[in-house]
């Protein structure tokens, strides 16, 4: 079984919104759904379902180099972030995060600190989208930090966080560390033996698994009172009650295994495709700017500001390309990207920014098509605006 693009003429460059399902994920999900069994039942059918979940847990753990007992399946990274931050904040102390986080961290952080707004510290980022480490050290130095939550890779710019020194500094100050690694997992290697975070969130659909499945890694022995969002049958060691989504979890596990296997060849191939897309657009369009630390990004992401060409008009002029304005989660909303504003971009620059995100199934043909259509669209929008003024 292979992924069927609903539209073969579409250059799909929106992997940060969601990736096409990997054939291995489709097969595993279908096989699981084709048999009956509740993973909590003790009879043979139930054990069959439990075996599929167990395999998937090991596959996800292998991708992260952690123990399968440290993986809690959830409905996605949003739920994993909610669980992680609520549990860690309950343990006490202040919550430190950054202005460039996804709303699935920032909104949770705001919600759980409404009674104690002084307990929330939001670190600034610089013009490259990197967290100001001096501000982190200053926050840690004032003491009473319970949890530091910083994303591993930014969804809008692809900028990568250097987590190892952050974890070291936070641990020395007695704080736990959570990372929202939704955009990193399955795209670049991460080794949880080296990167000593206490909590990590992921979402399967970003690396070719099904939507609506994710996981929270909780390091064994982390000093953390668990605070379930869902109470019920006590599944997932009490962290997440409810009958397990066996088909979705099986798909997530198979996608994790395929991503792990393909990574060594996918990373250089996707990097090269992204670089050629970026180079062609910058050279052929002119008056544009690539956002984020260019040498410290995910392989498949480029965020480009095409000055004097609002992104909504550009995207509407190229229906044969799937790309995003800022982030998919906020598109349609009238507010500009909070990530670009935090990096010091003007509102106008943020409004003129398009994110292209490539992945394991992107081809050179997709890139050629995206270049031709984007060049045409930006020139068209600029021309229309110039003649109207
Ligand atoms: N964090 C980041 C960085 C993301 O990019 C996303 C998805 N856009 C999420 C969290 C939320 O993931 P999900 O919608 O799968 O729960």
């Amino acid at each position: 079984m292979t992924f069927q693009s609903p539209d073969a003429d579409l250059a799909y460059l929106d992997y940060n919104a969601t990736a096409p399902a990997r054939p291995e994920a489709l097969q595993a999900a279908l096989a699981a759904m084709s048999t009956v069994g509740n993973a909590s039942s003790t009879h043979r059918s139930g054990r069959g379902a439990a075996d599929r979940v167990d395999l998937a847990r090991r596959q996800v753990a292998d991708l992260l180099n952690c123990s399968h007992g440290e993986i809690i399946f959830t409905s996605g990274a949003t739920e994993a972030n909610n669980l992680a931050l609520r549990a860690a904040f309950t343990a006490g102390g202040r919550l430190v995060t950054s202005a460039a986080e996804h709303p699935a961290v920032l909104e949770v952080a705001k919600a759980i600190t409404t009674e104690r707004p002084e307990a929330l510290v939001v670190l600034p980022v610089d013009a490259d989208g990197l967290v100001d480490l001096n501000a982190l050290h200053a926050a840690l130095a004032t003491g009473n930090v319970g949890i530091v939550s910083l994303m591993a890779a930014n969804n809008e710019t692809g900028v990568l966080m250097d987590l190892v020194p952050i974890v070291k500094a936070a641990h020395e100050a007695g704080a736990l560390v959570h990372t929202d690694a939704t955009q990193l997992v399955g795209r670049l290697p991460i080794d949880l033996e080296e990167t000593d975070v206490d909590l990590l969130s992921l979402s399967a659909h970003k690396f070719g698994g099904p939507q609506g499945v994710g996981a929270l890694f909780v390091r064994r022995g982390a000093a953390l009172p668990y605070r379930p969002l869902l109470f019920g049958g006590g599944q997932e060691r009490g962290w997440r009650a409810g009958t397990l989504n066996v088909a979705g979890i099986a798909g997530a596990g198979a996608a994790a295994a395929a991503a792990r296997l393909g990574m060594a060849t996918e990373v250089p191939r996707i990097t090269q495709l992204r670089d050629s897309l970026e180079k062609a657009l910058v050279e052929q369009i002119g008056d544009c700017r690539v956002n984020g630390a260019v040498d410290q990004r995910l392989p498949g992401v480029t965020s480009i500001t095409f000055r004097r060409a609002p992104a909504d008009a550009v995207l509407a002029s190229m229906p044969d390309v799937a790309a995003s304005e800022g982030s998919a989660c906020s598109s349609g909303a009238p507010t500009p990207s909070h990530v670009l504003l935090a990096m010091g971009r003007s509102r106008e620059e943020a409004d003129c920014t398009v994110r292209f995100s490539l992945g394991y199934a992107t081809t050179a043909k997709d890139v050629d098509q995206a270049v031709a259509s984007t060049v045409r669209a930006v020139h068209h929008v600029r021309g229309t605006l110039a003649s109207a003024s």
Side-chain angles (χ1 to χ4, degrees), residues 1-6 19-30 208 360-361:
M1 182 178 295
T2 54
F3 166 74
Q4 300 288 317
S5 169
R22 291 182 187 259
E24 297 86 346
L26 290 175
Q27 246 152 24
L30 187 67
Y360 75 92

Side-chain angles (χ1 to χ4, degrees), residues 8-285:
D9 296 330
L10 181 73
Y12 185 83
L13 300 184
D14 208 7
Y15 278 66
N16 278 18
T18 198
R22 291 182 187 259
E24 297 86 346
L26 290 175
Q27 246 152 24
L30 187 67
M33 262 198 105
S34 309
T35 53
V36 66
N38 182 322
S40 300
S41 303
T42 51
H43 49 63
R44 201 160 73 208
S45 284
R47 284 202 309 274
D51 286 347
R52 292 183 198 277
V53 171
D54 186 53
L55 171 65
R57 211 183 289 283
R58 287 170 196 275
Q59 288 167 320
V60 170
D62 284 349
L63 183 61
L64 307 175
N65 196 25
C66 66
S67 158
H68 64 281
E70 296 172 311
I71 298 295
I72 292 152
F73 284 115
T74 66
S75 64
T78 301
E79 186 186 338
N81 286 343
N82 273 268
L83 273 174
L85 295 186
R86 277 165 48 103
F89 191 62
T90 305
R94 291 181 298 153
L95 190 170
V96 175
T97 186
S98 92
E101 298 296 311
H102 190 275
V105 163
L106 280 177
E107 294 303 316
V108 186
K110 275 190 232 156
I112 62 181
T113 56
T114 34
E115 314 267 286
R116 285 200 294 138
E118 71 286 357
L120 175 60
V121 180
V122 180
L123 304 174
V125 294
D126 67 15
D128 279 338
L130 296 164
V131 169
D132 182 340
L133 290 183
N134 291 330
L136 172 66
H137 288 126
L140 292 170
T142 56
N144 195 28
V145 175
I147 173 87
V148 174
S149 178
L150 293 173
M151 69 201 316
N154 187 274
N155 48 302
E156 295 192 29
T157 58
V159 167
L160 301 169
M161 199 69 57
D162 190 1
L163 286 169
V164 173
I166 289 172
V167 175
K168 188 167 177 285
H171 281 174
E172 278 168 11
L176 292 166
V177 181
H178 164 253
T179 188
D180 176 354
T182 308
Q183 296 290 352
L184 180 94
V185 171
R187 274 92 177 263
L188 279 178
I190 177 158
D191 180 340
L192 289 179
E193 272 187 15
E194 271 169 27
T195 305
D196 196 19
V197 293
D198 303 283
L199 298 144
L200 173 147
S201 307
L202 63 88
S203 202
H205 69 104
K206 306 292 186 184
F207 55 85
Q211 297 178 348
V213 189
L216 175 66
F217 156 83
V218 183
R219 192 172 292 282
R220 185 173 291 138
L224 209 64
Y226 77 86
R227 289 228 25 216
L229 294 159
L230 302 175
F231 295 88
Q235 288 89 344
E236 297 298 90
R237 293 182 286 119
W239 277 87
R240 213 273 175 176
T243 301
L244 289 178
N245 170 7
V246 179
I249 289 170
R260 178 165 170 257
L261 205 67
M263 203 166 300
T265 49
E266 283 171 15
V267 170
R269 196 185 71 81
I270 295 167
T271 306
Q272 191 264 323
L273 286 174
R274 186 274 314 272
D275 288 349
S276 74
L277 170 77
E278 191 171 274
K279 187 164 176 285
L281 291 176
V282 169
E283 279 175 9
Q284 293 180 42
I285 293 177

